[in-house]
């Protein structure tokens, strides 16, 4: 008796409930409407410019092809810009994770007096709008000479500069999340290691860090998408088109091909593909990461 | 595992295991005795280097913004920095034709985001929380815009709004010369056009936050209210919604910050001209635009800073106070 009562809510799925059907109709309709702008972009990108300019955009296609995609990819040197993004995003994600886990380790395992202050500084810094700090940062980047280290000879207009600001800005969020996470690990773990004479570094690298893998995976997914999607820092801190990451290079591409919206649509969609792949492959990590420290703006 | 911890933060940190509490008082002393000199040096580096990077690039820059707001500087050499007191602010508040519209647009941005996509996201989350089939498919459809860069979203929506070749005008037959509806160029329309795109994205974001919040609601609450004979709306209104309070706070903070940060979409749309001015765009104009008026741009940044600190500080204080209490 008791067991049937307990399992009843799970098994109960009445064959057809009008309310459920209505709900599904509503959700399916809304979902389709939600995807409409993206689907429209796909449709436009699949059609040759010649056809749409004579028949209009809302028309039945004579011919669908991937021509615009391949043209956008080859004519505008998109591979080069994807390379630029990789050069910025990979070190930025790795460094952010490494540095913020260090701070989190310190704050959650050692100095509890400083914990609160550190968390406040990092979290608040991450919530600031980027424009609040951009003016002095821009001047600073122009001021720092790095002859021989970056191609531009300055911090400005270099991948290194973008990596630095991504690390500084995003570590706010990661410190907050990781420090909360590390505080939930049992204290006995590190205390025992300490008594056994393990070094601090060993405690971090071999005990705490491996336990943080789920949080690190979630943050890595999130950071790669955020840093890949960055537009603002690149627009302000990179001046040479050649050095731009893909999202800001797209703006140049659209300026160049503004007479052919189909080609621009193809370029924009190509730009979105890597984030979509990461999202579909690591959906669970992404969503859990987003709610891990929901204070992210 | 990660999902569970996810829904529990930031309140999660509020409940350390009971043993941890006493360990807390004990630990620092024990550590001090056991740590070698080298350990302490390493710890110092581990905490110090990242903190320095963050402080220098974020907080020192923010302070520098404040200092520069009281000066004029053309950016060429430090010698040309001159102290002008409140002149930049006076000019900003009285002379600049773009400042008050920008403030107004930022406010409109917030009001629209909180009134339309936020309740819609909550509504969708409540529906998707009913353990229905295809829930993941629907979720993905609503959430996809959040994954895509704002810049890309800007280009996609231009295909919808383009007066000549865009979807809307083609559908309603307004794509003939003379009948154009210029969604992006018309100063009375363009803010609303961008806001539709922004709301489109924001809904999915809010939906995910609320879904996480709803997962944390104790199922026995629903059962109890069903036993009391409450209908679906009554259960939501009086039982579920009140328990979502922490999520609501986060949603409010996120929405305010997003409205202050709004930049990419407008920048791609029309560069923030005629009808879509925003504070963030005005700051950027002073850097990458023709005129390099650093003090003036910083004054706008300070306005932005003050508004955001007005939100960030109370939020963090209440979050961390809760954490300390337990």
């Amino acid at each position: 008796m008791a067991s049937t009562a307990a399992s009843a809510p799970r098994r109960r799925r009445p064959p057809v409930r009008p309310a459920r059907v209505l709900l599904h109709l509503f959700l399916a309709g809304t979902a389709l409407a939600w995807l409409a702008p993206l689907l429209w972009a796909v449709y436009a990108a699949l059609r040759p410019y010649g056809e749409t300019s004579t028949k209009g955009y809302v028309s039945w296609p004579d011919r669908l092809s991937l021509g615009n995609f391949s043209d956008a990819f080859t004519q505008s040197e998109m591979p080069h810009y994807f390379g630029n993004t990789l050069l910025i995003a990979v070190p930025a994600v790795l460094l952010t994770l490494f540095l913020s886990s260090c701070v989190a380790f310190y704050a959650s395992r050692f100095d509890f007096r400083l914990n609160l202050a550190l968390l406040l500084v990092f979290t608040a810094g991450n919530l600031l709008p980027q424009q609040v700090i951009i003016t002095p940062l821009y001047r600073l980047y122009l001021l720092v000479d790095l002859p021989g280290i970056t191609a531009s000879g300055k911090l400005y207009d270099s991948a290194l500069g973008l990596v630095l600001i991504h690390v500084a800005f995003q570590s706010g969020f990661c410190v907050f999340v990781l420090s909360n996470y590390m505080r939930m690990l049992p204290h006995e773990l590190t205390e025992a290691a300490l008594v056994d004479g393990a070094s601090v570094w060993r405690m971090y690298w071999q005990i705490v860090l491996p336990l943080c893998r789920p949080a690190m995976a979630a943050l890595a997914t999130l950071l790669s998408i955020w840093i890949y999607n960055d537009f603002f820092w690149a627009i302000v801190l990179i001046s040479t088109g050649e050095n731009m990451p893909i999202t800001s290079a797209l703006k140049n591409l659209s300026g160049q091909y503004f007479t052919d919206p189909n080609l621009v649509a193809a370029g924009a969609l190509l730009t979105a593909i890597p984030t979509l792949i990461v999202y579909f492959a690591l959906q669970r990590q992404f969503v859990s990461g987003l709610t891990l420290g929901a204070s992210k703006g | 595992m990660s999902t569970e911890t996810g829904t529990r933060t930031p309140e999660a940190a509020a409940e350390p295991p009971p043993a941890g509490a006493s360990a807390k008082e004990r630990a620092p002393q024990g550590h001090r005795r056991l740590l070698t000199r080298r350990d302490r040096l390493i710890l110092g580096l581990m905490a110090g280097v990242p903190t320095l990077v963050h402080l220098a690039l974020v907080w020192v820059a923010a302070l520098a913004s404040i200092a520069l707001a009281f000066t004029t500087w053309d950016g060429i050499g430090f010698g040309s920095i001159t102290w002008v007191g409140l002149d930049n602010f006076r000019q900003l508040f009285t002379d600049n034709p773009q400042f008050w519209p920008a403030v107004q647009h930022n406010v409109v941005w917030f009001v629209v985001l909180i009134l339309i996509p936020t309740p819609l996201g909550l509504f969708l989350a409540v529906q998707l929380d009913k353990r229905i089939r295809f829930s993941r498919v629907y979720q993905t459809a609503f959430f996809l815009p959040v994954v895509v860069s704002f810049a890309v979203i800007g280009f996609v929506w231009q295909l919808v709004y383009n007066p000549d070749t865009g979807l809307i005008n083609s559908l309603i037959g307004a794509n003939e010369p003379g009948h154009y509806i210029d969604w992006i160029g018309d100063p009375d329309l363009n803010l609303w056009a961008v806001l539709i795109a922004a709301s489109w994205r924001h809904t999915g974001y809010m939906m995910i936050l609320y879904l996480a919040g709803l997962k944390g609601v104790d199922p026995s609450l629903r059962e109890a209210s069903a036993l009391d004979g409450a209908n679906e709306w009554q259960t939501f209104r009086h039982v579920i919604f009140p328990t979502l309070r922490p999520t609501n706070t986060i949603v409010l903070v996120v929405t305010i910050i997003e409205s202050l940060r709004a930049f990419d979409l407008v920048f791609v749309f029309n560069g923030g001209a005629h009808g879509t001015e925003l504070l963030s765009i005005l700051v950027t104009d002073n850097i990458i635009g023709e005129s390099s008026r650093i003090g003036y741009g910083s004054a706008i940044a300070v306005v932005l800073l003050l508004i955001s600190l007005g939100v960030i500080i109370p939020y963090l204080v209440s979050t961390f106070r809760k954490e300390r209490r337990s």
Side-chain angles (χ1 to χ4, degrees):
Chain A
M1 176 71 194
S3 70
T4 43
S7 59
R10 264 181 194 287
R11 259 195 287 135
R12 193 183 46 177
R13 186 169 274 159
V16 185
R17 262 199 298 164
R20 270 288 145 105
V21 175
L22 222 78
L23 179 59
H24 271 289
L25 281 177
F26 167 78
L27 284 174
T30 320
L32 208 64
W34 230 250
L35 291 178
L38 289 171
L39 294 176
W40 173 249
V42 174
Y43 183 59
L46 285 173
R47 304 180 72 190
Y49 180 63
E51 185 189 310
T52 46
S53 61
T54 51
K55 289 179 74 180
Y57 276 79
V58 180
S59 58
W60 201 249
D62 293 334
R63 187 164 73 81
L64 294 176
S65 77
L66 294 173
N68 285 320
F69 287 99
S70 58
D71 284 355
F73 196 70
T74 49
Q75 283 176 19
S76 62
E77 295 174 70
M78 277 183 100
H80 171 77
Y81 297 117
F82 276 123
N84 285 350
T85 292
L86 220 58
L87 216 63
I88 294 161
V90 173
V93 170
L94 294 178
L95 260 177
T96 307
L97 285 178
F98 171 65
L99 292 180
S100 20
S101 63
C102 284
V103 181
F105 174 69
Y106 174 79
S108 62
R109 300 262 128 188
F110 290 94
D111 202 322
F112 304 107
R113 283 169 300 119
L114 267 180
N115 178 17
L116 203 68
L118 275 176
L119 278 189
L120 271 171
V121 164
F122 275 96
T123 318
N126 182 248
L127 286 171
L128 288 178
Q130 290 92 321
Q131 285 81 7
V132 166
I133 60 171
I134 191 62
T135 311
L137 202 68
Y138 175 81
R139 302 314 315 182
L140 177 76
Y141 270 42
L142 279 171
L143 223 80
V144 176
D145 279 317
L146 296 170
I149 299 176
T150 63
S152 60
K154 294 201 173 293
L155 204 49
Y156 179 67
D157 199 23
S158 71
L160 179 69
L162 281 194
V163 170
L164 268 181
I165 188 61
H166 281 309
V167 170
F169 206 74
Q170 300 290 1
S171 59
F173 174 67
C174 298
V175 166
F176 174 74
V177 169
L178 287 172
S179 138
N180 278 345
Y181 198 89
M182 286 180 191
R183 286 211 309 182
M184 291 192 291
L185 304 174
H187 260 273
E188 290 72 17
L189 275 175
T190 40
E191 262 163 28
L194 201 61
V195 173
D196 287 347
S199 72
V200 163
W201 179 256
R202 218 175 137 162
M203 275 162 56
Y204 161 76
W205 192 250
Q206 294 192 332
I207 301 175
V208 172
L209 214 50
L211 289 170
C212 290
R213 206 175 286 160
M216 297 286 262
L219 285 176
T221 313
L222 216 55
L223 283 176
S224 359
I225 291 188
W226 278 334
I227 293 176
Y228 179 95
N229 280 346
D230 164 61
F231 182 69
F232 176 71
W233 297 122
I235 280 284
V236 180
L237 296 176
I238 299 276
S239 59
T240 318
E242 272 289 286
N243 295 339
M244 283 189 173
I246 184 76
T247 41
S248 48
L250 182 64
K251 188 153 169 62
N252 291 353
L253 167 75
S254 80
Q256 207 178 327
Y257 293 106
F258 69 98
T259 46
D260 185 350
N262 306 23
L263 195 66
V264 176
L269 290 170
L270 282 175
T271 308
I273 285 177
T275 44
L276 294 181
I277 292 176
V278 171
Y279 174 67
F280 281 113
L282 303 163
Q283 200 169 6
R284 274 183 59 115
Q285 265 85 353
F286 183 79
V287 171
S288 69
L290 202 60
T291 48
L292 206 57
S295 67
K296 173 73 186 182
Chain B
M1 161 123 198
S2 44
T3 332
E4 280 163 37
T5 40
T7 51
R8 277 193 268 135
T9 3
E11 309 80 45
E15 9 171 345
S22 59
K24 236 181 206 184
E25 270 110 72
R26 185 152 44 77
Q29 282 183 337
H31 287 161
R32 212 168 294 148
R33 251 184 290 121
L34 286 165
L35 290 178
T36 64
R37 223 199 196 143
R38 197 166 149 265
D39 277 343
R40 254 175 277 163
L41 179 72
I42 287 178
L43 267 181
L45 284 176
M46 285 173 83
V49 172
T51 310
L52 270 181
V53 172
H54 180 79
L55 282 178
L57 293 182
V58 177
W59 285 107
V60 172
L63 291 177
S65 267
I66 299 179
L68 286 173
F70 298 97
T71 65
T72 72
W73 184 23
D74 55 14
I76 307 158
F78 288 113
S80 62
I81 302 182
T82 337
W83 186 263
V84 294
L86 290 168
D87 267 9
N88 288 326
F89 291 98
R90 201 170 301 134
Q91 244 186 68
L92 196 58
F93 295 149
T94 55
D95 284 348
N96 189 316
Q98 291 179 303
F99 178 73
W100 290 113
V103 172
Q104 205 185 329
H105 296 155
N106 274 104
V107 172
V108 170
W109 199 285
F110 166 71
V111 171
V112 168
L113 286 192
I114 206 79
L115 286 184
I116 298 166
T118 306
L120 186 58
L122 172 61
F123 177 72
L124 290 172
V126 170
Q127 303 311 317
L128 291 174
D129 193 44
K130 287 178 182 166
R131 275 215 245 131
I132 56 170
R133 292 170 115 193
F134 313 123
S135 171
R136 279 297 265 283
V137 179
Y138 297 136
Q139 257 185 61
T140 306
F142 297 128
F143 194 64
L144 221 49
V146 187
V147 182
V148 175
S149 161
F150 264 122
V152 172
I153 289 177
F155 289 108
V156 167
W157 278 84
Q158 274 182 331
L159 299 171
V160 174
Y161 285 134
N162 191 302
D164 211 358
T165 57
L167 178 63
I168 299 180
N169 278 4
S170 301
L171 282 178
I172 61 175
N175 59 344
E176 306 293 329
H179 298 279
Y180 283 141
I181 302 178
D182 193 352
W183 300 100
I184 298 170
D186 186 336
D188 293 327
L189 290 177
N190 51 15
L191 182 67
W192 306 106
V194 199
L195 276 171
I196 289 176
S199 302
W200 176 69
R201 182 183 185 275
H202 202 67
T203 304
Y205 192 3
M206 296 299 104
M207 180 197 72
I208 288 290
L209 292 185
Y210 277 119
L211 263 176
L214 285 169
K215 276 203 190 103
V217 175
D218 187 353
S220 63
L221 279 177
R222 283 176 212 269
E223 260 167 54
S225 98
L227 281 178
D228 287 344
N231 65 26
E232 205 178 326
W233 167 247
Q234 287 169 326
T235 308
F236 176 76
R237 173 73 189 78
H238 297 291
V239 180
I240 310 293
F241 192 70
T243 61
L244 287 177
R245 230 186 105 166
T247 311
N248 283 328
T249 312
I250 290 165
V251 160
L252 184 69
V253 172
V254 164
T255 307
I256 297 176
I257 299 286
E258 288 261 290
S259 338
L260 292 173
R261 276 187 182 170
F263 172 83
D264 302 14
L265 212 52
V266 167
F267 192 80
V268 171
F269 252 62
N270 66 353
H274 312 301
T276 52
E277 295 91 346
L278 291 172
L279 287 172
S280 61
I281 299 264
L282 295 190
V283 177
T284 316
D285 275 351
N286 277 286
I287 303 167
I288 55 178
E290 307 270 295
S291 59
S292 185
R293 299 174 65 194
I294 292 159
Y296 199 59
S298 302
I300 307 169
V302 167
V303 174
L304 208 53
L305 174 71
L306 289 179
I307 305 173
S308 27
L309 284 182
V311 181
I312 297 171
I313 292 174
Y315 168 65
L316 289 182
V317 165
S318 75
T319 311
F320 285 104
R321 186 177 291 153
K322 220 188 298 162
E323 199 165 304
R324 255 192 164 170
R325 218 185 298 136
S326 48

